[in-house]
Amino acid sequence: MNIQGNSYRDGSAIDISFSEGIIDSISETQTPLDENLILGPGFTDIQVNGYGGIDYNEIQSDPMNLAGISRLLYQEGVTTHFPTIITNDPDQISRLILQIVSLRKSDELSRMSIEGLHIEGPFISPMDGPRGAHPKEFIIAPDWSMVQKWQLEAKGLIKMITLSAEWENAVSFIERCVDHGILVSIGHTNATHQQILDAVNAGSRLSTHLGNGMHTNIARHPNYLWSQLSQDDLSASIIADGFHLPAEVIQVFHKVKKENLLLVSDSVSLSGMPAGDYKLHIGGEVTLTAEGKLHLKSNPSILAGSASNIRSGVSFLIKNKLASLAEAWEMASVRPEKLVNPGHILFKEGAIADLILCRKHEEGKLEVLKTIKHGREVFSS
Ligand SMILES: [Zn+2]
């Protein structure tokens, strides 16, 4: 099979042929193509709480109820996503893991898309501000035996944990995670500078949604934002939905983190739903505005996850001239893959054929026309 489009990297007209899920060749085409047809690697979103009214953080009457998420995300060009389970009772986290395992067992399209699980919490900061909308009663110190139990239940699918570096046993816990191939990300933290340095030395390689999950006001210095920005070994994920971070903050993060800045959606189940008041596991009563801002009903300054997706994050960066199309695309594909799946190369001969064809519209808007996962067409508009 083959697909043609203009490369997301440099706009050159290319033809990609693939078989058995692998890219055989990438060659220049002889015939010119519509210049707005862009071909690139599929998006990887390592932080998806839910989507389209479906929530990975809720117990379902049938795990197959979750099958819609992968399909809706394929429509948005997301070829790989990590269901993200947030702070909860440990037994409830087990049940949430088990239902994703059984979803993958019975649904091939979900199994293809879900290449890992992200556990965000419960080992985060209990402080108001850093903990964001995570329920305080379930926040605990890092517990390796608990993670081992979850990992057994997950059949090894847990590939990422977000924690605060402020816990006394954080270093030994991080080292164990790293030894077992789990990416440790610092987030929802109230850690000191030294604690962040120690976490990086222990093997933490990412900051989760940097600039969010913080106090509204912090000391000018030292503070955990400077500390994380100062560390070249820490990549940073950001939510580029227009609400979580002002454009100038993204500009500065970009200058500091350079090729180590990447996108996540942090989408909650209300993504793609009409405006109104809702009740969510994360934060309880929330309000979704007509503009797409999702906040606690009781406090509009505290966001409760995002109601967007990673494709719209790419468009936001392009529209606001925060990154070129090529770089914004990499922030949503190659860069997150490199962190969570170092062996999973994209968009090269010999790489897995995870590809999307988009039509570029005005103001950076990308319309997904075709999504190919492991060489198989999983969406066509
Ligand atoms: Zn978070």
Side-chain angles (χ1 to χ4, degrees), residues 297-358:
K297 194 178 172 187
S298 58
N299 187 349
S301 71
I302 298 187
L303 299 169
S306 89
S308 65
N309 60 59
I310 204 165
R311 180 200 44 77
S312 60
V314 171
S315 294
F316 179 83
L317 294 181
I318 300 168
K319 178 184 169 189
N320 291 283
K321 301 190 165 46
L322 296 165
S324 64
L325 181 142
E327 192 180 12
W329 200 302
E330 299 227 326
M331 288 168 74
S333 56
V334 177
R335 293 185 189 175
E337 279 292 336
K338 217 186 261 178
L339 274 175
V340 294
N341 245 337
H344 189 175
I345 50 163
L346 292 171
F347 216 68
K348 284 189 177 121
E349 288 177 12
I352 289 171
D354 285 1
L355 301 166
I356 54 174
L357 181 68
C358 294

Side-chain angles (χ1 to χ4, degrees), residues 204-367:
S204 287
R205 287 294 171 263
L206 179 66
S207 297
T208 290
H209 52 52
L210 190 63
N212 295 110
M214 290 178 55
H215 293 93
T216 315
N217 296 296
I218 53 174
R220 68 198 188 288
H221 51 69
N223 66 54
Y224 45 74
L225 194 54
W226 292 128
S227 300
Q228 290 177 82
L229 285 169
S230 72
Q231 294 305 300
D232 288 344
D233 285 340
L234 279 183
S235 293
S237 70
I238 55 167
I239 306 164
D241 64 348
F243 302 108
H244 278 74
L245 295 172
E248 68 274 20
V249 172
I250 297 179
Q251 263 173 336
V252 173
F253 287 179
H254 190 198
K255 284 174 203 239
V256 174
K257 293 292 177 182
K258 301 185 179 74
E259 67 283 357
N260 294 322
L261 190 66
L262 53 107
L263 291 180
V264 290
S265 71
D266 200 10
S267 66
V268 296
S269 59
L270 296 177
S271 296
M273 303 289 279
D277 290 342
Y278 294 92
K279 199 168 183 332
L280 279 182
H281 163 65
I282 181 167
E285 302 280 331
V286 298
T287 300
L288 176 62
T289 69
E291 294 74 34
K293 181 179 180 181
L294 183 66
H295 60 78
L296 296 192
K297 194 178 172 187
S298 58
N299 187 349
S301 71
I302 298 187
L303 299 169
S306 89
S308 65
N309 60 59
I310 204 165
R311 180 200 44 77
S312 60
V314 171
S315 294
F316 179 83
L317 294 181
I318 300 168
K319 178 184 169 189
N320 291 283
K321 301 190 165 46
L322 296 165
S324 64
L325 181 142
E327 192 180 12
W329 200 302
E330 299 227 326
M331 288 168 74
S333 56
V334 177
R335 293 185 189 175
E337 279 292 336
K338 217 186 261 178
L339 274 175
V340 294
N341 245 337
H344 189 175
I345 50 163
L346 292 171
F347 216 68
K348 284 189 177 121
E349 288 177 12
I352 289 171
D354 285 1
L355 301 166
I356 54 174
L357 181 68
C358 294
R359 180 172 292 283
K360 187 178 71 179
H361 293 277
E362 274 168 31
E363 298 200 303
K365 190 173 177 292
L366 293 172
E367 175 194 358

Side-chain angles (χ1 to χ4, degrees), residues 47 86 120 131 134 162 187-188 208-209 212-213 239 266 282:
Q47 194 160 357
I86 70 146
E120 188 191 25
R131 76 179 168 85
H134 287 236
T162 292
H188 292 278
T208 290
H209 52 52
N212 295 110
I239 306 164
D266 200 10
I282 181 167

